[in-house]
Amino acid sequence: MVIVIVLLEARRRCTLYINQMLLGMAIASDHAIDAFRSTPGLLDSIILSSSYNAQDKLKGRWYRYPIERLKIVKDTVLGKETKYSKRPFLEAVKIHKGLIGNIQATSNKLLAALGHNIFVKKTPGQKGLRILSLDGGGTRGIASIAMIKAIVDEMGVEVCDLFDIICGTSTGAIIAFLVGLRLESSEKARNRYDELIDKIFVKHSLSAPMLFLTTAAYSDVPFKKVTEEILGDCSMLDSRADPRVPYVFAGK
């Protein structure tokens, strides 16, 4: 029994190291990506070691689905306001803990690096993609924050658990990073936005010439610094480790 456990652990570590190596190669070279995509059976093997594994996914989903449906029916009969639930669809692809979790997270990122994106429904009965687009600018950013708060209050769930894609421009991109990549609540994102906005819109002596030459009164350097501050040591690809994180893209 002990020998079996040791061998299983060694096999898992070998899987993790191989996936880490493939991920590093995929990030470093487009040629490597092309080679991986054309390798028979490789993509299927990666999916099997990811949290998208069909067997685990279905098990997690359908164990919980009947329970969630009963809750919705019960709330409807009792006249209660039915809220969206994170289970069973998001829970079905959540990352495990420990070594298995590391393997799944690495495999998920490798799939994303290869451009193989798997759609995961956020809620039961969902049809199509749910996209949240956030406008930029000082006052428009505030309007976006207010809009998010209204959505959260109405739906009873944070936008990261409701939308599949969150995109934004300028300060809208900052908000997308906060509520999308960082999974912050609408309340926390609002407070953070108030702190970050002063760092983005910094006027200097060259503001007038910049407006004349580039049609922009503000430098994009503070914007880049703020996005780096939000991401920390992580890259946007790192967010694909967890399938429950919405897809996020941004423009300055």
Side-chain angles (χ1 to χ4, degrees):
M1 185 65 180
V2 175
I3 295 176
V4 172
I5 295 175
V6 171
L7 290 176
L8 183 59
E9 181 80 0
R11 181 177 179 180
R12 286 173 177 168
R13 290 194 177 279
C14 182
T15 301
L16 175 60
Y17 297 151
I18 291 174
N19 282 348
Q20 288 175 333
M21 179 186 68
L22 294 177
L23 178 60
M25 294 172 66
I27 294 174
S29 171
D30 290 338
H31 294 295
I33 292 177
D34 293 336
F36 295 157
R37 287 174 179 169
S38 61
T39 301
L42 179 60
L43 196 60
D44 292 334
S45 298
I46 298 171
I47 293 175
L48 283 176
S49 62
S50 74
S51 65
Y52 296 107
N53 185 328
Q55 183 176 354
D56 292 341
K57 182 179 176 182
L58 287 174
K59 185 190 302 180
R61 176 180 298 178
W62 298 118
Y63 277 179
R64 296 179 177 92
Y65 187 74
I67 298 175
E68 295 304 318
R69 295 303 301 174
L70 286 174
K71 287 180 180 178
I72 293 174
V73 171
K74 179 182 176 182
D75 288 344
T76 303
V77 171
L78 296 177
K80 295 181 180 179
E81 184 179 0
T82 301
K83 301 296 185 182
Y84 281 97
S85 171
K86 296 180 183 180
R87 303 182 308 269
F89 293 83
L90 293 180
E91 290 296 311
V93 291
K94 72 177 182 180
I95 304 298
H96 289 238
K97 296 180 180 179
L99 179 57
I100 295 178
N102 287 334
I103 294 173
Q104 290 177 330
T106 304
S107 300
N108 291 344
K109 288 192 288 184
L110 179 54
L111 289 171
L114 297 180
H116 188 84
N117 299 303
I118 302 174
F119 173 56
V120 178
K121 291 183 178 181
K122 294 284 186 178
T123 57
Q126 176 181 340
K127 296 181 180 179
L129 291 172
R130 294 173 175 175
I131 302 174
L132 177 63
S133 179
L134 302 170
D135 204 353
T139 55
R140 289 191 294 252
I142 296 173
S144 294
I145 285 285
M147 177 187 68
I148 289 176
K149 182 66 166 59
I151 292 174
V152 171
D153 291 342
E154 179 66 25
M155 303 305 294
V157 64
E158 293 296 340
V159 292
C160 60
D161 293 322
L162 185 61
F163 289 94
D164 306 295
I165 300 174
I166 302 178
C167 53
T169 303
S170 185
T171 53
I174 298 299
I175 300 171
F177 275 32
L178 294 176
V179 300
L181 295 182
R182 285 306 182 196
L183 307 182
E184 293 187 1
S185 66
S186 58
E187 191 65 34
K188 184 175 181 180
R190 180 186 181 90
N191 295 333
R192 284 254 277 163
Y193 179 81
D194 291 340
E195 296 173 4
L196 296 172
I197 194 69
D198 292 333
K199 297 181 181 181
I200 299 173
F201 295 112
V202 180
K203 280 196 173 183
H204 47 73
S205 58
L206 298 178
S207 294
M210 282 180 58
L211 182 61
F212 177 75
L213 296 173
T214 67
T215 70
Y218 298 95
S219 169
D220 62 351
V221 174
F223 175 83
K224 292 179 179 178
K225 288 184 177 179
V226 167
T227 56
E228 290 172 357
E229 179 181 333
I230 295 173
L231 288 174
D233 296 330
C234 300
S235 67
M236 293 187 71
L237 180 61
D238 290 326
S239 69
R240 300 318 315 150
D242 188 349
R244 295 176 298 178
V245 176
Y247 289 92
V248 174
F249 63 91
K252 63 180 182 179

